[in-house]
Amino acid sequence: MFWFGCDCFYWSRGFSELDSEPSEPKPFSLPSPLPRWPQGKGFATGRINLGELEVVKITKFHKVWSSGSSHGKSKGVAFYRAEEVPQGFHSLGHYCQPIDKPLRGYVLAARASKPTKTDDPPPLKKPVGYTLVSSVDGGGGYFWLPNPPAGYKAMGVIVTDKPKEPETEEVRCVREDLTESCETSEMILSKKSNPFSVWTVQPCERGMRAQGVSVGTFFSCTYELSSHETVRDIACLKNLDPTLHAMPNLNQVHAVIKHYGPTVYFHPEETYMPSSVQWFFKNGALLYPQGEPISSTGSNLPAGGSNDLKFWIDLPEEEEAKSYLKKGNLESSELYVHVKPALGGTFTDVAMWIFCPFNGPATLKIGLFTLPMTRIGEHVGDWEHFTFRVCNFSGELWEMFFSQHSGGGWVDASEIEFVKGNKAAVYSSKHGHASFPHPGMYLQGSSKFGIGVRNDVAKSEYVVESSERYVVVAAEYLGGVVDEPCWLQYMREWGPVIEYDSGSEISKIMDLLPLVVRFSFENIVDLFPVALYGEEGPTGPKEKDNWEGDELC
């Protein structure tokens, strides 16, 4: 893993877009049918109990209206009303998405999970009316904010294609104590002439202990908003059921992993392969500052606490043993699985961690020039991961997070490469082991200057089947059913601090460049991340923010 900051660097991968766009998004479905999951409580039963509310996920829609342009693109956005809502349930809002993508979304519908006492306020009420937020495209689309009764919250904005105010029967508002605050996520429509914008929304608090539940609705306004800004006029739901009954039991977890576990491809020229943690310990890894051998289970590692910098792991000093350990051992490698609730227990995140004993040197790209480094980027002990998110209403794969050094991003299931049934491909970058959804070259750096660190990924015979070679190491919500290994409790660094003689390497780069390029290069050397000048050994999975928190958004 290369520990680069994200302030000045970003990911760039070139691609071409078709000029034409579909008039109607086509519904997306996974390549293979879902299996019959093992028996459990509420996982994949179609309904989830949130305490006082029972909710269902609606994926059948009727298009209300579409706009001709969206934020930063010439693509349209379509707005939908929920259809085929089960009897007794009420839609909580409308859904929208760009029309150049497969129809891929949902809106929750809700009903009271038990009869309400006469004196108690019901969990759901009709809005008392609507406020017109804006009309766009010359009056083609009308955006309405439900006006909730006192003590209730609206769940999202709705759309009509006529100026008449919607019927109050269209949606329901939710009692305030059953809701959580939400924030903007992605702007998908912007009209600068109004001004006007439409945003997807998500719970403000996310992670395995957070209670916020995404409703699938959207927000629109005529004032400036930025991403991750709290929205005051609408809310999301809150899961008040402490049992999280819709989460999979251990048998269902194994079935989910065996059905969806991705195929991990390492680069055909990869030198530094993954290994199991046990192989790493058995073949000479040492615990410092004393330089003592580590037991195969990690039982003599200091457990708990935080990274106090008093302990670290390193390779043996003897060169032959060190070289052997650096190369890893693909045959022993396995994925270490952390299963956790997401979005209030309405989704399950299956985080799959892979360990590599050594992270190799970086390769720089400077315009048309590719320059392999000798030592820059190297460090001992490399932990990388990817996460697949499964919908607890159906057991359907929803999206995947690909971790890329200290960044990464979510990829919808409709944009994933499937290689075997519903198993996705994960491509591990050469030397750095970052995860990517498709083969190619990804540049971490400045696309404007064409300078940065190359991340090359490709298929090869070096493969790990995560559906077969995995160990579930943690699932806290199951209450002690999973025994966590000793090494998982080690919160310190898995490698020593390394300082590079970067000046010497930069001078060598300068000598290789044509004279016409050297002056420009001298001016943009500062664009390289500070990690080119030194590396700290990474901490283990449990010390990462995303162990309990959400992945980057």
Side-chain angles (χ1 to χ4, degrees):
M1 176 185 293
F2 305 117
W3 295 92
F4 295 145
C6 57
D7 292 338
C8 300
F9 283 68
Y10 61 91
W11 296 104
S12 175
R13 182 174 188 259
F15 62 92
S16 62
E17 295 185 12
L18 297 177
D19 293 330
S20 60
E21 62 181 49
S23 57
E24 287 292 337
K26 304 294 184 184
F28 169 79
S29 59
L30 292 170
S32 298
L34 297 187
R36 186 172 183 176
W37 304 111
Q39 287 189 338
K41 292 183 179 179
F43 177 70
T45 60
R47 299 183 180 186
I48 295 180
N49 191 304
L50 303 180
E52 290 193 43
L53 287 175
E54 184 180 34
V55 292
V56 294
K57 186 177 76 168
I58 307 299
T59 57
K60 296 290 182 67
F61 299 111
H62 170 74
K63 191 177 81 169
V64 178
W65 177 77
S66 61
S67 171
S69 63
S70 67
H71 177 62
K73 298 181 178 179
S74 60
K75 306 293 183 183
V77 176
F79 296 84
Y80 300 90
R81 176 193 302 117
E83 281 197 333
E84 300 183 19
V85 177
Q87 186 174 2
F89 286 83
H90 303 279
S91 177
L92 299 179
H94 285 188
Y95 170 71
C96 71
Q97 69 162 62
I99 66 174
D100 64 319
K101 295 183 178 181
L103 186 56
R104 178 79 172 150
Y106 66 91
V107 164
L108 295 187
R111 72 176 179 184
S113 59
K114 54 187 176 182
T116 305
K117 295 180 181 179
T118 307
D119 296 335
D120 292 341
L124 300 172
K125 272 190 176 182
K126 298 177 185 179
V128 297
Y130 297 87
T131 298
L132 181 64
V133 177
S134 181
S135 62
V136 296
D137 285 1
Y142 299 84
F143 289 75
W144 304 88
L145 178 67
N147 298 325
Y152 289 75
K153 296 285 288 187
M155 295 287 105
V157 169
I158 68 172
V159 177
T160 63
D161 59 355
K162 295 180 175 60
K164 183 182 177 182
E165 184 174 326
E167 299 291 334
T168 56
E169 187 65 36
E170 181 76 12
V171 293
R172 291 294 186 270
C173 300
V174 180
R175 205 174 68 222
E176 195 163 3
D177 61 308
L178 306 180
T179 69
E180 285 251 316
S181 59
C182 67
E183 66 180 22
T184 54
S185 177
E186 180 185 3
M187 181 163 63
I188 61 171
L189 179 65
S190 176
K191 298 287 185 180
K192 295 182 179 179
S193 56
N194 280 38
F196 174 78
S197 60
V198 174
W199 295 80
T200 60
V201 291
Q202 61 189 3
C204 293
E205 298 294 327
R206 297 178 302 283
M208 72 180 193
R209 303 191 193 280
Q211 296 175 295
V213 173
S214 287
V215 181
T217 54
F218 62 90
F219 180 68
S220 63
C221 63
T222 56
Y223 51 86
E224 286 193 8
L225 273 179
S226 57
S227 187
H228 303 295
E229 188 171 339
T230 300
V231 177
R232 306 295 178 187
D233 295 326
I234 66 171
C236 65
L237 294 176
K238 178 190 287 189
N239 190 349
L240 294 173
D241 175 19
T243 68
L244 295 177
H245 82 291
M247 290 293 294
N249 62 31
L250 191 56
N251 286 338
Q252 291 170 329
V253 165
H254 287 298
V256 164
I257 294 171
K258 291 182 185 302
H259 186 73
Y260 291 123
T263 299
V264 185
Y265 293 98
F266 289 85
H267 195 274
E269 297 176 7
E270 182 60 72
T271 308
Y272 307 103
M273 292 294 177
S275 77
S276 68
V277 170
Q278 288 78 5
W279 183 91
F280 182 58
F281 291 162
K282 286 180 179 178
N283 284 275
L286 301 172
L287 176 65
Y288 284 86
Q290 300 301 322
E292 60 182 294
I294 304 171
S295 73
S296 61
T297 62
S299 58
N300 61 325
L301 293 171
S306 60
N307 183 22
D308 54 13
L309 305 179
K310 292 181 180 179
F311 300 92
W312 64 93
I313 295 173
D314 202 354
L315 305 175
E317 293 184 5
E318 200 273 315
E319 284 301 322
E320 185 176 349
K322 181 186 293 186
S323 176
Y324 178 71
L325 207 55
K326 278 184 178 181
K327 293 177 182 178
N329 181 261
L330 187 66
E331 291 73 22
S332 73
S333 63
E334 55 194 6
L335 280 295
Y336 300 107
V337 179
H338 180 208
V339 188
K340 55 183 178 175
L343 297 175
T346 55
F347 289 83
T348 296
D349 276 0
V350 180
M352 308 194 89
W353 293 85
I354 193 160
F355 176 73
C356 296
F358 196 74
N359 191 108
T363 298
L364 301 186
K365 183 178 186 298
I366 305 168
L368 299 176
F369 299 92
T370 294
L371 303 167
M373 296 292 93
T374 330
R375 291 199 61 219
I376 288 177
E378 288 186 344
H379 64 77
V380 175
D382 190 18
W383 280 104
E384 291 287 356
H385 80 285
F386 53 87
T387 297
F388 63 87
R389 178 167 287 179
V390 174
C391 173
N392 288 350
F393 287 97
S394 61
E396 180 185 2
L397 176 66
W398 200 251
E399 58 188 342
M400 285 187 64
F401 182 84
F402 293 82
S403 174
Q404 295 150 5
H405 311 304
S406 33
W410 287 102
V411 177
D412 188 82
S414 63
E415 299 175 340
I416 287 170
E417 177 187 344
F418 292 95
V419 292
K420 192 183 300 180
N422 291 335
K423 294 177 172 66
V426 173
Y427 293 91
S428 178
S429 64
K430 180 183 175 184
H431 290 185
H433 312 126
S435 300
F436 294 90
H438 302 285
M441 191 282 286
Y442 297 77
L443 181 68
Q444 183 189 5
S446 169
S447 59
K448 178 180 179 181
F449 292 104
I451 182 172
V453 176
R454 288 180 63 110
N455 287 266
D456 294 284
V457 293
K459 276 196 172 95
S460 77
E461 61 183 9
Y462 305 128
V463 170
V464 178
E465 295 289 355
S466 70
S467 62
E468 301 170 5
R469 290 162 57 180
Y470 72 91
V471 179
V472 178
V473 296
E476 293 88 344
Y477 73 93
L478 289 175
V481 171
V482 175
D483 292 326
E484 297 187 5
C486 296
W487 58 261
L488 188 61
Q489 318 310 320
Y490 174 69
M491 311 300 278
R492 281 79 175 180
E493 293 174 349
W494 286 68
V497 175
I498 298 175
E499 293 183 359
Y500 306 125
D501 183 8
S502 54
S504 173
E505 290 226 39
I506 295 296
S507 296
K508 291 177 182 176
I509 293 174
M510 295 289 292
D511 291 340
L512 292 170
L513 295 175
L515 289 174
V516 70
V517 180
R518 289 185 191 178
F519 177 75
S520 298
F521 178 62
E522 287 174 343
N523 291 333
I524 58 178
V525 163
D526 289 340
L527 290 176
F528 286 117
V530 294
L532 284 182
Y533 309 104
E535 288 280 4
E536 290 185 1
T539 52
K542 211 168 186 178
E543 181 69 2
K544 311 295 188 190
D545 290 340
N546 63 319
W547 183 265
E548 289 201 4
D550 196 14
E551 304 285 3
L552 296 174
C553 301

